[in-house]
Amino acid sequence: MTGVQTCALPIYNVRESQCELRFKEERTGLLSNKIHLDKYKQERDKVLQKIQEIANKVYVKQSPQISMFGSLITGLALESSDMDLVVQGLNISDR
């Protein structure tokens, strides 16, 4: 089987040129997706800031920290992806 190589991407045992093409497609797709998501960064930041302000008002005697995680942070989000948020720094004794 000459001219066959194992590709580091999800496609295996393909010709080198096909592997390179797939890598370029994956890289280009991720880059264009990042550019597309970056144009909404300001809106996401405003939402995160507003939620943080609400948490600070509700839990005045504590220090809640709202953080984003998930696909928006890893760069794997799609246009339809949600915002994954976590609240840390609260002591809720009734649970």
Side-chain angles (χ1 to χ4, degrees), residues 7-40:
C7 181
L9 297 169
I11 296 178
Y12 299 96
N13 296 325
V14 294
R15 296 188 191 285
E16 184 176 16
S17 59
Q18 291 173 325
C19 182
E20 289 173 352
L21 179 61
R22 176 62 188 245
F23 176 75
K24 288 176 186 175
E25 289 172 353
E26 292 290 328
R27 185 169 178 237
T28 303
L30 288 175
L31 289 176
S32 65
N33 189 44
K34 182 182 181 333
I35 291 167
H36 179 72
L37 290 172
D38 281 351
K39 74 180 186 179
Y40 297 111

Side-chain angles (χ1 to χ4, degrees), residues 37 40-49 51-52 65-75 77 81-88:
L37 290 172
Y40 297 111
K41 183 181 182 330
Q42 193 174 34
E43 292 174 16
R44 288 192 311 269
D45 289 346
K46 284 182 184 179
V47 169
L48 186 61
Q49 180 183 2
I51 293 172
Q52 182 69 60
Q65 289 297 316
I66 313 295
S67 303
M68 211 176 351
F69 69 97
S71 60
L72 285 171
I73 298 300
T74 63
S81 293
D82 61 349
M83 269 178 78
D84 298 309
L85 301 175
V86 62
V87 180
Q88 297 175 310

